[in-house]
Amino acid sequence: MPATVIVGLQWGDEGKGKTTDALAEHVKAVVRYQGGDNAGHTIMLGEEVFKLHLVPSGVLYPHIAPIIGNGVVVNPATLISELDMLASRGIEVDRVRVSKHAHVIMPYHIALDGAMEARLAKAAVGTTRRGIGPAYADRAWRIGIRMEDLLDGPALRSKLQRILPEKNATLQRQHNVGGFDLDELVQLATAWGVRLKPHLADTTQLVQEMLARGEHLLFEGAQGTLLDLDHGSYPFVTSSNPIAGGACTGGGIGPLQVDEVLGVMKAYATRVGAGPFPTELEDEIGEGIIDRGREFGTTTGRRRRVGWFDAVPLRYAVAVNSVSSIMLNKIDILSGLDEVLICMAYEVDGERVDWWPSDADILARAKPIYEHFPGWTEPIHDCRSMADLPENARLYVDAVERLSGAPICFVSVGPERHQTIERKPRPFRRPLSAANHVAAVVAPAADPAGK
Ligand code: IMP
């Protein structure tokens, strides 16, 4: 049975939570593979609204094991408060598993993120100031604290004794802000360890065992392809790999265990934070999309920047993620416009460019070359099949599909689960013949969801 990767094809906030929701019934685990509490999902369950930053949205379904993989950077304070919030609202959270190898966002990472952004001033990335970049940087420097370190007070103290003087010196001397006290940090971190110990696990082993048992797993990326550290609009990116390949390094699977890559995108583009945005709309059309689409960040509350749909990064995103099918969200937000535009290519320094130049300097000079499509006036929230959609909306979806080169299998016409059109069946790469091989090398053990 398959492993499905859900990946954002734009600058994040494509509505991946709704995609997970659409598939949740059939899956046994939802695995977050990168990012941290910079992400945000708003999930509606009946009348209730849940806002989650770290715990995979699968937690809202009792049959799903929510897993935070080794590639995630974990702010334990956020994790504990989300677990408490969920438990207080009747959601069973004992089944949440967190990789022992995931790195911890320490208070000094958050302080450094804020101080660095303030120092960069006009050149700031516009981060969420959650300490994401500094935590990943320490991982690469091999001075990171991992979740398992929270369980061993003396070892943690000696690690912090080595790390903290340099962090404090940077904060105090370069940024002129306060440092941290060793004893207080050890106390805080070991208290996190006591609280989170029952949730810590070797999540790679769990994931491999579940796949060996033939269970269907969802790997959920945060942010989106254009914010990818390697493939995004560097340096205006996040510090991890949201692309589908990130599910391998951060989720504990091999490339041949991925059977499906479901790319998620909106019918228009949005971006939060700084950085070039060739199709940005800074007029009343953009204002209307922000209002109708409620385009405000879940994590920071910042107003998102909006723009026309851009096929140039779409082609790139489909390629680098090997997208097998697409969910197109929020097409209802475009209802009422006289015409809708799609950016087909860029003009950069007088030359036509079809391949996405991820370099931020080149992107800043890119002028979009648009094709105009006739709009539609009818509200489409109640459409449940492609035949119900106005002809111009159908033509728009067909054009986006042609440009992407991957089948658009779902079209979403509203935030509710039932407001989804199943346009085409999803193609799977192959039946998982390797499952037998995996089963032979991994002894099946108890399911973390207790099923
Ligand atoms: P960081 O991930 O907080 O370091 O921020 C780096 C960039 O990624 C900034 O432009 C953020 O606005 C953006 N970013 C981070 N998380 C998200 C997200 O979940 N949605 C959209 N943008 C994000």
Side-chain angles (χ1 to χ4, degrees):
M1 274 300 283
T4 294
V5 179
I6 293 183
V7 64
L9 300 182
Q10 295 160 313
W11 273 289
D13 310 314
E14 298 91 351
K16 296 179 287 290
K18 176 161 176 175
T19 316
T20 304
D21 188 60
L23 307 189
E25 213 177 292
H26 305 288
V27 304
K28 270 301 188 80
V30 176
V31 185
R32 259 289 292 277
Y33 58 82
Q34 47 69 233
D37 58 347
N38 49 351
H41 284 321
T42 304
I43 304 122
M44 292 171 67
L45 205 67
E47 294 296 291
E48 289 214 62
V49 178
F50 290 85
K51 284 186 192 283
L52 294 171
H53 298 286
L54 198 52
V55 177
S57 48
V59 72
L60 300 176
Y61 309 88
H63 68 282
I64 285 181
I67 297 176
I68 296 176
N70 58 282
V72 176
V73 284
V74 177
N75 180 336
T78 306
L79 179 57
I80 291 167
S81 78
E82 285 190 1
L83 293 175
D84 287 347
M85 177 274 290
L86 289 162
S88 74
R89 294 170 71 181
I91 307 287
E92 195 275 299
V93 292
D94 290 351
R95 66 210 145 93
V96 174
R97 290 291 173 271
V98 184
S99 170
K100 292 189 292 189
H101 301 151
H103 278 247
V104 179
I105 299 177
M106 296 294 287
Y108 49 80
H109 292 134
I110 299 169
L112 283 165
D113 195 357
M116 185 67 104
E117 283 285 280
R119 193 162 182 223
L120 285 171
K122 282 199 177 137
V125 174
T127 73
T128 57
R129 300 187 176 218
R130 299 288 168 118
I132 307 295
Y136 277 117
D138 277 2
R139 182 176 81 158
W141 272 61
R142 287 143 301 173
I143 54 166
I145 304 293
R146 308 211 293 186
M147 291 301 287
E148 62 194 353
D149 294 327
L150 304 181
L151 305 180
D152 184 344
L156 178 67
R157 173 177 287 276
S158 72
K159 281 190 183 178
L160 285 173
Q161 261 163 349
R162 286 196 301 275
I163 299 165
L164 199 56
E166 200 182 308
K167 300 292 177 201
N168 280 344
T170 308
L171 283 167
Q172 288 159 346
R173 290 197 209 129
Q174 287 186 24
H175 300 292
N176 209 18
V177 295
F180 292 87
D181 177 73
L182 175 69
D183 290 332
E184 280 175 17
L185 270 193
V186 173
Q187 204 179 13
L188 177 70
T190 47
W192 287 335
V194 171
R195 172 65 209 277
L196 293 173
K197 188 174 178 191
H199 298 280
L200 298 194
D202 180 336
T203 54
T204 299
Q205 186 183 2
L206 289 181
V207 159
Q208 289 295 338
E209 288 168 353
M210 293 179 93
L211 285 173
R213 284 201 296 273
E215 288 163 359
H216 187 173
L217 270 57
L218 269 192
F219 291 80
E220 182 180 67
Q223 293 86 45
T225 302
L226 309 184
L227 288 173
D228 186 277
L229 180 59
D230 290 271
H231 295 284
S233 51
Y234 193 88
F236 299 101
V237 293
T238 192
S239 307
S240 63
N241 291 114
I243 59 160
C248 295
T249 50
I253 48 169
L256 294 183
Q257 289 179 304
V258 178
D259 276 73
E260 178 187 30
V261 178
L262 186 45
V264 187
M265 63 193 187
K266 285 192 279 212
Y268 50 92
T270 64
R271 161 162 219 176
V272 270
F277 187 178
T279 64
E280 185 162 13
L281 279 166
E282 293 175 288
D283 57 9
E284 68 281 4
I285 295 180
E287 293 291 329
I289 293 177
I290 291 172
D291 288 346
R292 291 193 301 279
R294 297 203 195 102
E295 294 295 351
F296 295 89
T298 316
T299 301
T300 57
R302 284 180 291 180
R303 198 169 188 279
R304 295 179 183 139
R305 300 155 68 194
V306 300
W308 291 121
F309 190 86
D310 192 345
V312 185
L314 169 64
R315 284 192 282 269
Y316 181 85
V318 166
V320 297
N321 289 298
S322 59
V323 167
S324 56
S325 49
I326 290 177
M327 177 154 181
L328 179 65
N329 283 332
K330 286 190 148 180
I331 187 165
D332 51 303
I333 305 303
L334 297 182
S335 290
L337 296 174
D338 294 336
E339 56 173 11
V340 281
L341 275 59
I342 296 182
C343 171
M344 299 291 182
Y346 301 144
E347 189 200 305
V348 183
D349 305 332
E351 305 265 328
R352 183 185 166 103
V353 172
D354 293 287
W355 182 250
W356 199 60
S358 55
D359 183 296
D361 287 338
I362 301 176
L363 277 169
R365 300 200 302 280
K367 296 192 186 73
I369 300 172
Y370 285 118
E371 197 165 305
H372 294 240
F373 292 79
W376 57 92
T377 48
E378 306 85 328
I380 57 174
H381 291 118
D382 295 328
C383 297
R384 293 295 171 269
S385 73
M386 288 309 285
D388 295 341
L389 282 182
E391 191 187 1
N392 288 345
R394 268 201 312 272
L395 289 174
Y396 185 73
V397 176
D398 291 346
V400 172
E401 181 177 66
R402 247 189 342 271
L403 291 164
S404 71
I408 296 179
C409 296
F410 298 105
V411 177
S412 167
V413 292
E416 304 283 341
R417 183 189 286 194
H418 62 271
Q419 291 175 307
T420 306
I421 297 172
E422 289 193 36
R423 182 168 175 265
K424 286 183 175 175
R426 286 143 58 206
F428 281 87
R429 195 162 69 87
R430 63 180 170 125
L432 193 62
S433 54
N436 297 337
H437 166 70
V438 176
V441 293
V442 180
D447 182 335
K451 300 279 157 192

